[in-house]
Amino acid sequence: MSQIWRNGEIKYQTLIYLLITAVAAALGFWMEPRVGALILAVCGAFGLFFGAVSLRRYGEIQRLSQELDRILHGEERLELESCREGDLAVLRDEIYKMTVRLREQSSRLLGEKQYLADSLADISHQIRTPLTSLNLTVSMLQQPQMEEGRRRELLLEMKRLLSRVEWLVESLLKLSKLDAGSISFCMEKIDLQEFLRQAAEPLAIPLEIRGQGLEISAAPESCLTADRAWTLEAVTNVLKNCMEYNPEGETLRIKGLENPLYTEITVEDRGPGISPEDLPHLFERFYRGKQAGKNSFGIGLALSRAILARENGTIQAENRPGGGSRFVIRLYKGTV
C-alpha cells in the first residue's frame, strides 16, 4: 500500500480530489448541514471506490512490471493468464507479443552470428590449404640448382592453386551477394537446347581428357525463363560435380523438358552414387561428402541452390536405380 504513494500522479490526483471534496462539503454545510453531510458521504464513497480501483490497477501494473523484469533477466516462461478485457489487458497482450517477437529476433541474430563464425572458420580452412601448398612451392622454387623441367612443373602447380583460390573467393563473393539480395536478375526467355549446350561448353576439354561422353536432349521448342548468366553458373556447377564422379568411358546425360508448370533440367552420371548420409546435407555450404575429391571445396552445389532459389526454382539430388546420381532442376513459371 505504501508503494502506491511513490507514484506522483496518484499523489496529485488525490490532492485535487480532497481539495474538491473539501470545497463541495464546505459549500454544502454553508447551505444546509444535511446537504453538506450528503456531499461528504457521496464524496467519501466515491473516494473509497476510486482508491480501490487505483490500488487494483496499480497492483496489475506492478505485477506486469515484475513479469517483464523476469523475462529481461532470462525467464523463458511467458504466463498468458490475463484474458479480461480492458486497457491493461490489451497492453499486457501487446507487450507479450513484442516480447515474443524480440525473443525470436534475438534467437535469429544469435543463429546468424554462429553461422557467420562457422562460415569464417570454414573459409579460412578452405583457403589455408592451397596457400600452404603455395608457400611450399615457392620455397622449392627458391632452390638455385633446380632443373628447368621441375621448375616449370612447380609453376604450373602454382597456377593451378591460384586458380582454385580465385574460384573460391569469387564463389564466396557471389554467395554473399545472393544472401544480401544485392543482385538483380534479368529474366528472359531462353531456348532450352541452346542453353544446355552453353552450360556444357566449359566442360568440353575436361570431358575429353577424362574420356567421357556427353549427351544432350531437349525438345526443339522447349524454353525456360531465367537469368541466363546466373542460371548457366548454377547448371554448370551441377554438370561439373557429376563429371567429377562419372567414370572414364561413361556418358554424362543432360535432359531438358518443359510443361505448363515448370522447365526441368535433369543431369545424370554413372558414378558411385550419393551416400544416404550425404543426401540431406549435399547442398550445404562447405559440406564434403564421404566420396568428395581432395580438390572439392563443397561450395559449388550450395551456390547452385542459392541461385535457383532466387529464380523461383528448386534442385534435388537422388540416386539412380541403375547406379549413379541424378540432379533434378526445376524452374517454375509461377509462384510455388
Side-chain angles (χ1 to χ4, degrees), residues 1 11 75 77 81 83 87 208 218 254 292 299 331:
M1 181 66 181
K11 290 182 179 180
E75 179 72 31
R77 186 168 55 92
E81 59 184 12
C83 298
D87 294 339
E208 183 178 352
I254 313 171
I299 198 173
L331 292 165

Side-chain angles (χ1 to χ4, degrees), residues 27-300:
L27 288 175
F29 279 111
W30 178 75
M31 295 174 59
E32 186 176 349
R34 288 182 299 179
V35 174
L38 179 62
I39 292 176
L40 190 60
V42 171
C43 290
F46 182 77
L48 291 174
F49 174 76
F50 174 76
V53 172
S54 298
L55 185 61
R56 179 173 173 272
R57 181 181 292 268
Y58 186 81
E60 291 183 0
I61 293 175
Q62 190 175 23
R63 285 194 299 271
L64 180 59
S65 177
Q66 292 173 353
E67 291 175 8
L68 290 176
D69 185 69
R70 286 190 293 102
I71 293 172
L72 291 175
H73 285 82
E75 179 72 31
E76 293 293 333
R77 186 168 55 92
L78 296 178
E79 297 178 357
L80 299 175
E81 59 184 12
S82 175
C83 298
R84 298 185 299 270
E85 296 183 357
D87 294 339
L88 276 179
V90 173
L91 176 62
R92 177 191 295 268
D93 293 339
E94 293 300 322
I95 289 176
Y96 277 135
K97 292 177 184 177
M98 181 185 67
T99 304
V100 172
R101 183 69 60 85
L102 290 175
R103 179 172 296 173
E104 291 175 351
Q105 184 177 5
S106 176
S107 300
R108 185 166 57 251
L109 290 175
L110 287 175
E112 291 177 356
K113 182 179 179 180
Q114 184 61 42
Y115 175 77
L116 177 60
D118 295 340
S119 297
L120 290 175
D122 290 332
I123 291 169
S124 63
H125 174 73
Q126 295 289 349
I127 294 180
R128 187 184 297 116
T129 301
L131 288 180
T132 302
S133 299
L134 282 170
N135 286 329
L136 292 174
T137 305
V138 171
S139 299
M140 295 174 66
L141 285 172
Q142 291 175 347
Q143 298 177 4
Q145 298 179 350
M146 179 174 293
E147 297 180 359
E148 188 64 26
R150 178 59 176 165
R151 187 180 299 275
R152 283 196 297 268
E153 291 178 1
L154 292 176
L155 288 174
L156 290 174
E157 179 66 14
M158 288 183 63
K159 183 177 180 181
R160 185 184 67 82
L161 291 172
L162 287 172
S163 298
R164 288 185 61 198
V165 175
E166 181 181 10
W167 180 87
L168 175 61
V169 172
E170 289 180 355
S171 299
L172 291 172
L173 287 174
K174 292 173 183 177
L175 276 172
S176 64
K177 289 181 179 180
L178 289 169
D179 291 339
S182 60
I183 296 177
S184 298
F185 282 74
C186 182
M187 309 300 284
E188 59 177 308
K189 195 171 183 179
I190 309 169
D191 181 77
L192 188 55
Q193 280 188 335
E194 176 192 358
F195 175 83
L196 296 179
R197 285 195 295 268
Q198 288 180 347
E201 279 180 3
L203 303 179
I205 295 178
L207 284 170
E208 183 178 352
I209 294 175
R210 294 169 179 265
Q212 299 178 11
L214 179 66
E215 180 182 308
I216 300 176
S217 61
E221 298 180 357
S222 299
C223 297
L224 76 158
T225 302
D227 182 284
R228 183 185 295 269
W230 283 102
T231 312
L232 282 172
E233 174 86 20
V235 177
T236 301
N237 285 340
V238 176
L239 291 173
K240 181 175 180 293
N241 182 84
C242 291
M243 178 194 69
E244 291 175 351
Y245 293 97
N246 203 33
E248 182 179 353
E250 295 289 348
T251 299
L252 194 66
R253 288 179 171 82
I254 313 171
K255 182 180 179 182
L257 62 87
E258 181 187 14
N259 60 39
L261 295 178
Y262 53 79
T263 300
E264 182 177 277
I265 299 173
T266 305
V267 182
E268 296 181 350
D269 62 50
R270 296 296 186 273
I274 306 170
S275 172
E277 293 82 3
D278 295 335
L279 272 175
H281 310 284
L282 199 61
F283 298 100
E284 295 178 4
R285 298 181 188 182
F286 304 110
Y287 181 80
R288 302 175 73 252
K290 295 180 178 180
Q291 299 174 352
K294 63 178 183 179
N295 295 327
S296 173
F297 288 114
I299 198 173

